[in-house]
Amino acid sequence: MRSAVASTLFFAAAAVAAPAAPNAQALVAEDFLPKVVPVNTRAADKALISNLMLAPTQSERVKLLNQPGDYVFDFNNRTIPGGESDGLGGFTIAANARTFPALIGNGGAMTLGFLGPCGMNTAHVHPRATEFNIVVKGRLVTNFIIENGLPPIANTLSLYQMTVFPMGAVHQEFNPDCTESVFVAGFNSPDPGVSQIAQAFFNLNPAVVSATLGGVASLNGMDLESFRAHIPNNVAQGIDACLKKCGIKRNAKRDDYFLTPKK
């Protein structure tokens, strides 16, 4: 009996100590990763978006999202139709129901904002969502007004600090520094919508705009057309004090610091 036990232990020890077969390969972490696939290839696909919106259940939406990369959004890609807002002061990239159909039915969206020195995300509203805004690089000055009769709220946010803009509140973000700033904005709707205040206001009937401004005698339809033409695209340049501090000439295009490998 003792001899049998000893023999068993001997052969077990030999098996453990034996070298691996020549063709055996050690597993590495990469072996466990999903393969890289084309990302979000059906962005802005109207047929897919319509079918997703009509699907009565999440199960049916998942069956529609059956292509590799349907659940991945790449903020490095600035060519997605309707995803980018680009101006002199920087740009934003939005993942929403149109640019990332996988969000449909999941109650959320996200935007990344890249503000160059003194860049400003001009005053706007999101008519269908509350915004949660966190700074991930640099600093951010925020201003918002929730509704008539309430005072404006202003804050200076540092790295990894967050603010909230309630649904429908007029708000804006501004980079007060001479280095770039980046923020992440989350929304509780896959279709938050956005309306820039200045552009929307000056596109109203000229008589309405003039009356709203107090009926200034020198302001006529031609003046309003001129104002419209000079409203900058978002993201715009910031206040003159910042531009002076950073030695930036107004209307000068920012260098594209973002999403570009540094040499």
Side-chain angles (χ1 to χ4, degrees):
M1 179 68 180
R2 290 181 180 177
S3 176
V5 172
S7 297
T8 301
L9 293 174
F10 173 80
F11 286 114
V16 171
N23 60 351
Q25 296 181 354
L27 292 176
V28 295
E30 294 295 324
D31 295 331
F32 298 94
L33 301 181
K35 65 180 181 180
V36 177
V37 297
V39 173
N40 192 30
T41 57
R42 296 193 286 174
D45 184 325
K46 291 184 178 180
L48 173 64
I49 292 170
S50 296
N51 289 332
L52 288 169
M53 296 183 72
L54 291 172
T57 66
Q58 176 76 336
S59 177
E60 293 187 41
R61 286 191 288 272
V62 171
K63 292 176 183 178
L64 292 169
L65 294 166
N66 57 6
Q67 298 299 312
D70 275 348
Y71 284 95
V72 181
F73 188 89
D74 186 0
F75 283 100
N76 294 288
N77 184 0
R78 297 176 60 182
T79 64
I80 299 174
E84 183 181 72
S85 176
D86 191 2
L88 293 174
F91 62 94
T92 63
I93 300 176
N96 53 41
R98 184 175 189 273
T99 63
F100 189 28
L103 294 176
I104 295 172
N106 288 308
M110 183 171 288
T111 291
L112 259 61
F114 301 86
L115 306 184
C118 305
M120 178 182 292
N121 193 14
T122 59
H124 60 282
V125 299
H126 302 292
R128 293 178 293 278
T130 292
E131 176 179 338
F132 308 90
N133 190 301
I134 181 172
V135 180
V136 297
K137 186 174 185 180
R139 295 192 301 165
L140 206 62
V141 174
T142 65
N143 292 270
F144 64 99
I145 299 177
I146 296 177
E147 61 181 80
N148 290 347
L150 296 179
I153 300 171
N155 291 291
T156 298
L157 305 180
S158 298
L159 188 64
Y160 304 135
Q161 292 185 337
M162 187 186 84
T163 191
V164 57
F165 302 126
M167 182 186 301
V170 178
H171 62 281
Q172 60 84 218
E173 303 93 8
F174 168 57
N175 175 11
D177 298 316
C178 303
T179 55
E180 60 266 28
S181 175
V182 181
F183 66 83
V184 177
F187 303 92
N188 60 346
S189 167
D191 181 26
V194 61
S195 179
Q196 304 298 136
I197 299 301
Q199 285 86 340
F201 175 67
F202 280 103
N203 273 312
L204 293 173
N205 185 292
V208 173
V209 175
S210 179
T212 304
L213 296 176
V216 180
S218 61
L219 191 66
N220 56 39
M222 292 183 62
D223 292 321
L224 293 179
E225 290 296 332
S226 177
F227 288 154
R228 292 192 190 105
H230 285 87
I231 296 173
N233 293 330
N234 198 48
V235 173
Q237 291 177 320
I239 60 176
D240 288 334
C242 183
L243 297 175
K244 183 177 180 180
K245 175 182 72 172
C246 299
I248 299 172
K249 293 182 179 179
R250 180 167 289 284
N251 298 326
K253 175 68 176 178
R254 294 293 82 80
D255 292 333
D256 194 347
Y257 303 96
F258 313 104
L259 309 184
T260 302
K262 300 295 188 294
K263 296 182 178 179

